[in-house]
């Protein structure tokens, strides 16, 4: 008897190649809503400098105070709409458990901050008008 291990015949596969496991499927990006929320929140942040440009141009043009109030209200409404859209997109991203939760959180924070600022501004106007 020899000390070598017994030799087993090769495993018969019936002419088929041995089974290979497929790599896991590539994960989709899944950051669409978070990125869109961040872009819309960035646009909302840009409404601040836009307000300054619009108001300074209106004052230089000699627009009456009611026209300036309308322009200010229009830019404020644009800011509110962009903030609401950014918040909604960020919440959808978080609920869908997209991997870019930090981006969605940043967009949500910016949107909530902008909306709170607009509400405080509106309250200030209401309080000072009496």
């Amino acid at each position: 008897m020899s000390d070598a291990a017994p030799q087993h015949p090769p495993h018969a596969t019936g002419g088929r190649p041995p089974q290979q496991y497929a790599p896991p499927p590539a994960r989709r990006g899944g950051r669409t809503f978070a990125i869109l929320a961040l872009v819309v929140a960035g646009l909302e942040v840009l409404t601040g400098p836009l307000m300054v440009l619009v108001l300074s141009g209106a004052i230089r043009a000699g627009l009456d105070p009611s026209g300036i109030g309308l322009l200010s209200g229009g830019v404020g409404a644009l800011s509110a709409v962009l903030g609401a859209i950014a918040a909604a997109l960020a919440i959808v991203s978080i609920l869908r458990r997209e991997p870019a939760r930090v981006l969605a959180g940043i967009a949500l924070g910016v949107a909530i901050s902008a909306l709170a600022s607009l509400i405080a501004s509106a309250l200030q106007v209401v309080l000072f008008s009496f």
Side-chain angles (χ1 to χ4, degrees):
M1 293 217 147
S2 74
D3 291 329
Q7 296 291 326
H8 296 289
H11 184 66
T13 59
R16 292 178 292 163
Q19 182 178 3
Q20 295 180 353
Y21 295 101
R27 189 166 188 187
R28 296 182 317 177
R31 299 181 304 215
T32 306
F33 286 105
I35 291 173
L36 282 174
L38 197 58
V39 167
V40 172
L43 289 174
E44 192 282 325
V45 168
L46 291 177
T47 60
L50 175 68
M51 175 94 76
V52 172
L53 290 174
V54 167
L55 290 179
S56 65
I59 291 170
R60 273 191 234 132
L63 197 62
D64 62 336
S66 64
I68 292 175
L70 284 175
L71 283 174
S72 177
V75 175
L78 174 66
S79 178
V81 167
L82 289 174
I85 291 171
L89 288 171
I91 290 170
V92 167
S93 173
I94 291 169
L95 291 177
R96 287 183 55 163
R97 299 185 190 274
E98 289 184 350
R101 288 191 184 113
V102 172
L103 295 179
I106 291 169
L108 186 60
V110 168
I112 288 173
S113 172
L115 292 173
S117 173
L118 285 170
I119 291 170
S121 215
L123 286 175
Q124 180 182 5
V125 168
V126 168
L127 288 175
F128 286 132
S129 66
F130 291 115

